Amino acid sequence: MTVPPPIKDLQIKYTKLFINNQFVDGVNRKTFPVIDPSTEQEFARVAEADEADVELAVQAASAAFKRDAPWRRMDASQRGYLINKLADAVERNRVELACLEAKDNGKPYNIAYLADLHLVISCLRYYAGWADKIQGKVVPVDGDFLTYTRHEPVGVCAQIIPWNFPLLMMAWKIGPALATGCTTVVKPAEQTPLSALFLASLVAEVGFPPGVLNVLPGFGPTVGKPLACHKRVDKVAFTGSTEVGKLIQGYAAANMKKVTLECGGKSPIIVLKDADLDKAVDICHLGLFFNHGQCCIAASRTYVEAPIYDAFVAKAKAKAAAMKLGDPFDPATQQGPQVDKEQFDKILSLIESGKSEGAKLETGGGRFGEKGFFVEPTVFSGVKDDMRISREEIFGPVQQILKFDSLDEVIDRANDSTYGLGAGIISEDHSRVIYLSNNLRAGTVYVNCYNVFDIRAPFGGYKMSGVGRELGEYALDNYLEVKTVYNKIDSKY
């Protein structure tokens, strides 16, 4: 696909809260800065929501969910039609939305256009198709009863979006919520609120009833927490760190609301000695460095079988060192900046820990350039399982390469983590591949590939990587309640 040129003088059109299909100032009339991570400069200010705005947004979503409201009375096919219209609108505005993703997130514009926006549109169209296919069952119970189940929308949802794939993660959440007939209040990450607000404008443009979708830019303690605690919110979906995910679970206990969490990862990728070495290096490189390493399922522990270890390290080092960093709007750029200073400092601190704990720095290891939150693509060899870089989620362009000798050894080492989001295997030996994939405790296992995301297949993790599944038919269950109806009749036959 040919990528059209980005917008040269990008105008930021939407900077206010979106409640009841209207852009409004926050009750407190505060704003906060949006920073371009490639320059470290403020380029916009956005309205800052707080608890009072949360109350207004929840009221709007609750009113839209009332049984006599237009959204509740709408035919399921019409819901699907509106979601498809929203996908059409995203497609018409694809260039501008990709520019917004590049501007406040720092990802290359070309990747935002080709990957993020493609997947957003696909997600919306997929769930549009599900809207009129959600149905219950007739249950053959004993006695003279007509018994059936209804799958009904759970109600008002709070959806808390991360900064690494801002618009895509929003689509992952609003897609099934809207398809099932729920209403929602979305909190985008404070670093990357702009594409969510633009999408909100399209929600109103295509004709969704007021209150069905609301967007509150702001901060975790003053927006995320009140949403997760709110007793009129029936469901909370969160993507972000495991530490915050734990807090969300606690807040949601206020009214025992449904919770889905997609949290951190420290995913292993295992390269067996029979693998094609160049192919293996390419897959592992993509698995780690995609999106600047800011990917929850990043292949951040690379286990290589001993006979090919040294050769793999040499090729991985050369590939990382050859990456082009720079302006996200330069078509040649492969890696932009990290999202903000906090993330930048965290990555550099963990790199220093790798050096001090005895790992061998093969390439990178520092800041790139004099401005912007750029981190050099970094490769460590000689990494041990007890090092911080092997235990903690770095969320940056830092590849750790570890050596192993046997399948059972690498299975135990790969599973020795608090996380279980993803795993990878590179080999042509199908018996060993099946043995490994059956024994790795991870929500997604990639074989001879990595970072494949298809809206039809479920995504989620084991252990502290989260609760529940997103994507595919599985995601619909998160937004539905099952009602059983017993209807006494004179006779079954």
Side-chain angles (χ1 to χ4, degrees), residues 467-485:
V467 177
R469 293 293 181 269
E470 295 191 297
L471 302 186
E473 184 178 358
Y474 290 82
L476 298 168
D477 293 340
N478 302 324
Y479 296 92
L480 293 168
E481 295 283 13
V482 178
K483 176 186 288 181
T484 303
V485 178

Side-chain angles (χ1 to χ4, degrees), residues 110-133:
N110 283 1
I111 293 174
Y113 184 91
L114 290 171
D116 294 52
L117 267 297
H118 165 70
L119 291 169
V120 168
I121 294 162
S122 296
C123 180
L124 294 173
R125 294 208 188 285
Y126 176 82
Y127 284 111
W130 265 110
D132 60 358
K133 299 170 187 66

Side-chain angles (χ1 to χ4, degrees), residues 301 303 383-385 391 402-405 408-417:
R301 289 182 292 152
Y303 289 94
V383 179
K384 304 301 181 185
D385 291 328
R391 307 297 299 179
L402 304 92
K403 186 187 296 185
F404 74 93
D405 294 301
D408 288 329
E409 169 209 339
V410 78
I411 289 168
D412 290 340
R413 291 170 65 191
N415 287 336
D416 183 20
S417 172

Side-chain angles (χ1 to χ4, degrees), residues 199-474:
L199 187 71
S201 75
L202 302 180
V203 165
E205 176 187 307
V206 303
F208 280 83
V212 171
L213 184 141
N214 308 273
V215 178
L216 298 181
F219 296 86
T222 50
V223 179
K225 180 179 178 180
L227 275 173
C229 291
H230 203 294
K231 292 186 178 180
R232 292 175 70 186
V233 171
D234 303 292
K235 160 82 173 73
V236 60
F238 168 81
T239 296
S241 71
T242 296
E243 291 72 22
V244 176
K246 291 178 184 177
L247 295 175
I248 296 292
Q249 276 192 310
Y251 301 150
N255 63 332
M256 296 185 69
K257 58 175 63 70
K258 280 187 152 189
V259 178
T260 49
L261 305 171
E262 197 271 279
C263 297
K266 194 70 181 174
S267 300
I269 187 165
I270 299 167
V271 183
L272 301 186
K273 62 186 177 183
D274 72 285
D276 179 299
L277 196 58
D278 290 330
K279 176 181 174 182
V281 168
D282 287 348
I283 293 170
C284 293
H285 180 90
L286 172 68
L288 188 282
F289 291 101
F290 177 64
N291 205 46
H292 323 167
Q294 297 174 151
C295 192
C296 53
I297 203 170
S300 52
R301 289 182 292 152
T302 304
Y303 289 94
V304 180
E305 202 162 6
I308 61 168
Y309 183 84
D310 291 341
F312 181 97
V313 168
K315 287 179 176 288
K317 171 184 175 180
K319 191 167 185 68
M323 289 187 74
K324 185 179 188 311
L325 281 68
D327 179 1
F329 292 97
D330 181 344
T333 294
Q334 296 172 293
Q335 179 183 312
Q338 308 309 126
V339 74
D340 64 9
K341 189 174 189 304
E342 180 181 353
Q343 189 65 17
F344 173 80
D345 289 342
K346 174 191 171 186
I347 294 166
L348 292 180
S349 173
L350 281 163
I351 289 172
E352 289 305 311
S353 80
K355 297 176 186 176
S356 65
E357 290 181 348
K360 181 182 177 183
L361 179 65
E362 296 284 349
T363 189
R367 177 175 193 153
F368 174 84
E370 297 180 355
K371 68 176 182 178
F373 304 122
F374 293 91
V375 175
E376 294 174 327
T378 299
V379 176
F380 280 106
S381 64
V383 179
K384 304 301 181 185
D385 291 328
D386 59 353
M387 293 178 178
R388 285 184 64 200
I389 57 173
S390 189
R391 307 297 299 179
E392 299 180 26
E393 186 177 37
I394 300 173
F395 227 62
V398 184
Q399 185 176 36
Q400 297 78 245
I401 308 178
L402 304 92
K403 186 187 296 185
F404 74 93
D405 294 301
S406 73
L407 288 193
D408 288 329
E409 169 209 339
V410 78
I411 289 168
D412 290 340
R413 291 170 65 191
N415 287 336
D416 183 20
S417 172
T418 57
Y419 300 111
L421 190 56
I425 305 163
I426 305 175
S427 172
E428 299 302 326
D429 186 331
H430 297 296
S431 293
R432 298 180 91 199
V433 164
I434 291 170
Y435 184 73
L436 281 168
S437 60
N438 287 350
N439 282 282
L440 292 170
R441 291 184 52 77
T444 299
V445 177
Y446 295 109
V447 178
N448 295 323
C449 59
Y450 211 86
N451 282 334
V452 179
F453 301 106
D454 192 294
I455 188 63
R456 301 159 192 84
F459 183 86
Y462 288 24
K463 298 184 278 186
M464 289 174 64
S465 285
V467 177
R469 293 293 181 269
E470 295 191 297
L471 302 186
E473 184 178 358
Y474 290 82

Side-chain angles (χ1 to χ4, degrees), residues 10 12 34-39 43 98-107 194 328-329:
L10 182 66
I12 307 305
V34 182
I35 305 299
D36 180 341
S38 64
T39 65
F43 70 95
C99 287
L100 291 173
E101 297 290 76
K103 188 70 173 174
D104 64 6
N105 172 275
K107 66 178 63 194
L194 299 177
F329 292 97

Side-chain angles (χ1 to χ4, degrees), residues 14 18-23 64 71 74 79 81-90 92-93 97 124 159 167 170-171 174-175 178 182-184 186 195-215:
Y14 305 105
F18 184 77
I19 301 174
N20 234 10
N21 276 13
Q22 298 290 324
F23 284 102
W71 182 244
M74 185 180 292
R79 287 204 307 272
Y81 172 72
L82 284 177
I83 300 169
N84 258 324
K85 284 186 69 178
L86 181 59
D88 292 341
V90 171
R92 286 195 303 273
N93 292 276
L97 285 163
L124 294 173
Q159 301 184 303
L167 195 59
M170 184 174 175
I174 68 170
L178 297 176
C182 295
T183 60
T184 183
V186 175
S195 58
L197 292 171
F198 196 107
L199 187 71
S201 75
L202 302 180
V203 165
E205 176 187 307
V206 303
F208 280 83
V212 171
L213 184 141
N214 308 273
V215 178

